[in-house]
Amino acid sequence: MTKNCYPYLLDPCPPEFKDRPRYDVTIPFDNIIYIQASVNYSIIKQIERPAEIFSITLKNLLPRLVAKSNKFIRVHKAFIINIKYVSSYNKTSIVLSDGTIVPIAKRRWKEVLQQLH
């Protein structure tokens, strides 16, 4: 996994950071399957690419994702998923297209169900 200093993953990297590979990272929305929290970092799992770590919390990342796309939903304190990759779900978990099983928080179930329909 690559550890990146600052997440310009949703926007183009500013020109002054182009020469720093750890800063110049852009990930297209459609490539993101899910994002998992890891203390003050976020692990972004992508299609056909290795996961990458960014120094941003899910709390700070979610508003940026939602502002640009309505495909993302926080289903648990540790997970944001891309609803495009949901294979199946029940009241306690979601199975994503890569086989990952993500738990659904009890207090988020109604919101998740509403977003998936």
Side-chain angles (χ1 to χ4, degrees):
M1 268 190 271
T2 307
K3 189 181 253 187
N4 297 290
C5 290
Y6 192 83
Y8 289 106
L9 65 145
L10 307 176
D11 303 301
C13 180
E16 61 268 21
F17 293 123
K18 285 284 187 189
D19 60 339
R20 301 179 192 174
R22 288 175 43 177
Y23 286 80
D24 189 10
V25 177
T26 303
I27 298 174
F29 289 114
D30 287 341
N31 288 4
I32 300 172
I33 301 172
Y34 67 90
I35 304 167
Q36 182 177 4
S38 179
V39 189
N40 288 328
Y41 294 91
S42 294
I43 302 168
I44 299 180
K45 177 68 171 114
Q46 306 171 64
I47 291 181
E48 300 175 5
R49 292 194 60 196
E52 294 191 63
I53 301 173
F54 290 90
S55 60
I56 189 169
T57 62
L58 292 186
K59 180 181 178 180
N60 293 328
L61 185 56
L62 185 60
R64 293 176 63 191
L65 285 166
V66 172
K68 297 188 178 260
S69 174
N70 61 355
K71 297 178 184 177
F72 295 93
I73 182 170
R74 190 162 187 177
V75 296
H76 187 272
K77 69 179 179 179
F79 288 95
I80 295 172
I81 63 162
N82 185 338
I83 60 176
K84 175 181 174 181
Y85 296 107
V86 173
S87 293
S88 63
Y89 61 92
N90 58 41
K91 198 166 185 168
T92 60
S93 63
I94 293 175
V95 178
L96 299 173
S97 60
D98 69 342
T100 303
I101 299 172
V102 177
I104 300 174
K106 288 180 185 178
R107 68 183 191 93
R108 295 185 188 271
W109 168 243
K110 288 182 182 177
E111 178 188 348
V112 170
L113 185 62
Q114 199 173 41
Q115 290 270 341
L116 293 175
H117 280 359

